[in-house]
Amino acid sequence: MAGKAGKPNRPRKADKDEEEQPLLQAVLVADSFNRRFFPITKDQPRALLPLANVSMIDYTLEFLTSTGVQETFVFCCWMASKIKEHLRKSKWCRPTSPNVVHVITSDLYRSLGDVLRDVDAKALVRSDFLLVYGDVVSNIDISQALQEHKQRRNMDKNVSVMTMIFKESPPGHKTRCEDDDIIIAMDGKSKRILHYQRAQALKRLHFPMNIFHSGSDEFEIRFDLLDCHISICSPQVAELFTDNFDYQTKNDFVRGLLVNEEILGNQIHMHVTKDGYGARVSNLLMYDTVSSDTIRRWVYPITPEANFADQEGQSCTHSRHNVYRETGVSLGHGSQMEENVLIGRNTMIGANCTISNTVIGANCVIGDNVTLDRAYIWNRVHIADDVKVKQSVICDNVEVKHGVVLNEQCVLAYNVVVGPDITLPEGTVLSMHHPDEEDDEDDDEFLSDDNDVGYRKDKTKQKGSLFNPAEVGSEGKGYRWKTSSLEDTEEDDRAQFTLSNITWISQVYSNCSFPSVFQNEVHGTLQRGLDENISCDNLVLEINSLKYAYNISLKEVMQILIRVVLEFPFHQQGAQISTAQYSSHLLPVSMTLLKKWAPVFKNYVKRPQDQLDCLASMEEVFLERETHWAALVKVLMSMYQLEILEEEGIMHWFNQGSTTDKSQQLRRNQGLLKFIQWLQEAEESSEGDE
Amino acid sequence: MPGADKETDLSERIESFLSELKRCGSGAGSLRGSAETARETTALLRRITAQARWGNAGDLMEIIRKEGRRMTAAQPSETTVGNMVRRVLKIIREEYARSRGSTEEADQQESLHKLLTSGGSSEDNFRQHFAHLKANVIEAINELLTELEGTTDNISMQALEHIHSNEVIMTIGRSRTVEAFLKDAARKRKFHVMVAECAPFCQGHEMATSLSKEDIETTVIPDAAIFAVMSRVNKVIIGTQTVLANGGLRAVNGTHTLALAAKHHSTPLIVCAPMFKLSPQFPNEEDTFHKFVSPHEVLPFTEGEILSKVNAHGPVFDYVPPELITLFISNIGGNAPSYIYRLMSELYHPEDHEL
């Protein structure tokens, strides 16, 4: 640390070496904490859902490894054992893996905030780390951003706590997720984020004026950015989450930091990249786009045929028009794979099928005359003859019988059977889980994939209610869910969004708050301190936190503190007490108080200016109560004896030209004059001694 | 146990090499030269020979073949890796044969007579144990490494025989071999180089900057101007990614256009290719021949809405048929495309063509 204080070249260099040495760490949050993928995620955690036949978490880990991350902490909650099992089998846990993966599980994680608080509690990260979700697909080279981040931190002594990575993509881009539409105001030169706002469903935008006064002459307000959900964080981020236990999401965090920027002094920067690809599979629409982007090789070198996850038998070949085939694929006579098709191993496809923009998993059987367009078919699915599927997701072990037509945005969750001869309207969601199972939980505060573990076990399954043949066909099995989750109209998230808005507003409100509230709070604190005999250190801590909470300057804190202490007897005894009573009370009570809290005062009264402020506020208090002027001397005396105030300060205050008659009167008070005289003598005598 | 330590160290090295291979060339072309890849592969194979557990030549060949398969699968477009594996296998065969006392000649030439008389496969003979085999093989691999070190120099040494004063030379993209070749010639002669930029990756720009730094008169032309400029060109000198078994090339995008234009104007087309680029692969539509990278360079991701309506492809390689090629310059001299098959049989054992 000594090296940091000293600016000369040598210690700085040493610092740099030190900072480059620690291995790059990453925190991977393998839980989404929302239920966009419901009901699919009832059976399988989102991180393990296959995207182009490879689990999403493998993409994220591959990205991390290729950027040089050497240690990754995977946090899981919902179905943690499945994720653990998957990772144990994967190449990431082989002894030769360059990226050491630790899995940390807990049922208590309810949000990103919880995870980061745990990171802090366990002290897992030692230096800057990457924060990603388990469903991020990316090939962005972040070394440059990392470099910039480090430079900023070296320069400004840890002011910048986070660098967010954005990808340039103009509005209307298919990889832009509507939920993540954000408007960012940034400082063009330093790349500092000044304002961050989600633009989803907002018709009007507000920018606080103060962002334009921050001293920079170059501004950018951008709407063409795609949040890759990759951020470079310093260890402070975890600490900040601990300090602010109301932060749940990254959004809360960013907004909180920006609002409190002046107080906490933390900044957030951004890095905009044009190359590379980065997106988060945050809902089924994004699943569709990211899958097709992967097939179209936007994420090169992470492509299906690269077999980066290194799984046995997963190798596939790539031929023209982005047609990928794994081993053992059989294609019937007259069937055509038009473009952007990936077919998993041992899948059999019948005659005269037309397949385009589709991913088919392993061991599927597909009949004759089937038309698949933008279909995502996972493993072991049986599709009979004459089926038409358009832009739909079909999960493992589903059976689609003869003549079924799936319109846009249908979801068939695990083990569902549909048909025969039925047309599912747009946006149908079928699952083996009854939607009523969910009703209770919808009120749940934390809307997450993971909160229904208990419920599901308690609940006796109402299998009595039969499957509705009008919904799933005469031989079908499954329940229809109300809305399609392909459309990202998630009310719960909206609610959360508005909720966070409100808290934000209240924060702003309290920012311009009144000292009187603060005064009451301080009074309460001191009272409590007296009653419960709390140590001075803790009182200081509490007053400090109140200071931040009410946005009070140091000067005001002192004034209020003085006022509170001096008025303490009034509060205790009622306002109508005589001088004698006051001084007698103040003497035993307030003096002991003063003595007791001397360290508190000393903490706030440090510079000569502080003394003056302190005296001025003391004067103010006494000016309001003329009858008690005699007590002033006693207070001053004891303050002097406790070494809170010094002679010079008092003399300076006394000699200061007073503005009002009353204060001049005060200064002519007999007792005070005597005290001053005594002080002068004492000073002279001490000078004489020397 | 030191043995186990060695083993894990070895497998770690192999893993890191594999992952590096997988990642290399994420953007335009490969980040490292194939010469470097060849050297690294050979060094790694030497390490395997030295550290892995094997009792006889058969075991060793099995190990090397197994690792070789993994390495080639890691980056199918990098044929150099497979080629080096085959070279090492060939070395083992030769050393084994020498240890047994039979001459290399006899073993190498598969005459019809021999095929008839010997019967059975030669594989079962590799089971014999020789104490000094390991040392010999490592020695031979070291020789191979020295040969690899010198390839670029050996090729550029021949530059003066091919480039004459005041000639106009055309090249495409960036090839380290061609770069060295031209620079070597520039020490003695004055000539003009046209560089086709090789869109969309535009490695040609890099090449041109590098050449002009050496005071070579250089002009960058767009790929579309290749035919127009060809009439003024005396010679076309290009590099390649792979020389195929039939004498054709797998080279950067646009090379086929260039070769056709050269043919039309009867301009000689010279290919600078070190021997390690010679691959027993034949050109076919199958899997590993093509390499498609992210279409970002063709149609930027920032393009917006149009991306969902079109398919963009970013191919990297072209196939150039052997009839368009005049001459190969390798580190062992100049050869016609028709002679490639002969070089192939000298370098690799026929049984190793399929790893």
Side-chain angles (χ1 to χ4, degrees), chain A residues 69-258:
Chain A
V69 171
Q70 287 153 300
E71 193 174 19
T72 309
F73 299 100
V74 179
F75 286 84
C76 17
C77 179
W78 173 231
M79 294 206 166
S81 55
K82 276 198 177 179
I83 298 179
K84 220 169 177 176
E85 181 67 16
H86 173 85
L87 289 176
R88 202 177 54 75
K89 278 190 206 149
S90 72
K91 75 165 182 173
W92 314 108
C93 282
R94 288 183 204 157
T96 50
S97 165
N99 184 1
V100 183
V101 175
H102 304 279
V103 183
I104 296 161
T105 60
S106 164
D107 288 340
L108 298 173
Y109 300 140
R110 284 285 180 272
S111 67
L112 178 71
D114 290 338
V115 168
L116 283 174
R117 278 186 275 277
D118 203 39
V119 168
D120 189 41
K122 291 186 175 143
L124 294 174
V125 291
R126 289 180 292 277
S127 63
D128 294 348
F129 64 98
L130 287 175
L131 175 65
V132 290
Y133 281 98
D135 43 20
V136 167
V137 176
S138 172
N139 64 353
I140 293 173
D141 181 12
I142 59 151
S143 52
Q144 200 200 340
L146 209 59
Q147 201 76 34
E148 286 174 6
H149 181 76
K150 277 193 179 141
Q151 248 169 22
R152 272 195 289 266
R153 286 180 60 75
N154 276 340
M155 244 161 44
D156 290 346
K157 285 204 185 146
N158 308 340
V159 168
S160 168
V161 291
M162 187 156 103
T163 304
M164 297 170 84
I165 311 251
F166 292 99
K167 171 109 187 74
E168 212 171 82
S169 54
H173 197 289
K174 70 190 164 95
T175 313
R176 270 176 83 111
C177 167
E178 257 178 56
D179 293 355
D180 280 343
D181 269 357
I182 39 170
I183 295 216
I184 288 182
M186 68 177 219
D187 185 331
K189 271 184 196 141
S190 65
K191 302 267 178 280
R192 183 155 75 88
I193 298 182
L194 300 171
H195 185 66
Y196 175 95
Q197 178 145 34
R198 288 220 213 167
Q200 182 200 32
L202 285 184
K203 293 235 165 59
R204 202 180 297 175
L205 294 160
H206 296 278
F207 294 96
M209 271 308 281
N210 64 334
I211 65 167
F212 301 105
H213 296 309
S214 65
S216 171
D217 47 0
E218 210 177 292
F219 278 105
E220 285 179 32
I221 292 178
R222 305 190 67 159
F223 186 55
D224 64 338
L225 297 176
L226 169 74
D227 189 354
C228 302
H229 292 277
I230 302 163
S231 28
I232 305 167
C233 304
S234 53
Q236 274 148 289
V237 172
E239 290 164 21
L240 282 167
F241 267 98
T242 311
D243 293 347
N244 300 282
F245 44 83
D246 56 327
Y247 289 171
Q248 295 298 334
T249 61
K250 202 157 99 183
N251 202 29
D252 291 349
F253 174 75
V254 173
R255 286 167 151 277
L257 268 201
L258 290 178

Side-chain angles (χ1 to χ4, degrees), chain A residues 360-372:
Chain A
I360 302 176
N363 302 312
C364 295
V365 178
I366 290 170
D368 300 340
N369 303 317
V370 174
T371 308
L372 303 174

Side-chain angles (χ1 to χ4, degrees), chain A residues 620-632:
Chain A
E620 212 175 296
V621 173
F622 278 96
L623 282 178
E624 284 170 21
R625 301 172 205 277
E626 279 177 57
T627 46
H628 302 308
W629 282 4
L632 170 63

Side-chain angles (χ1 to χ4, degrees), chain B residues 252-271:
Chain B
V252 285
N253 248 351
T255 313
H256 195 183
T257 329
L258 179 76
L260 283 171
K263 187 82 183 171
H264 183 87
H265 289 278
S266 301
T267 316
L269 180 88
I270 299 174
V271 181

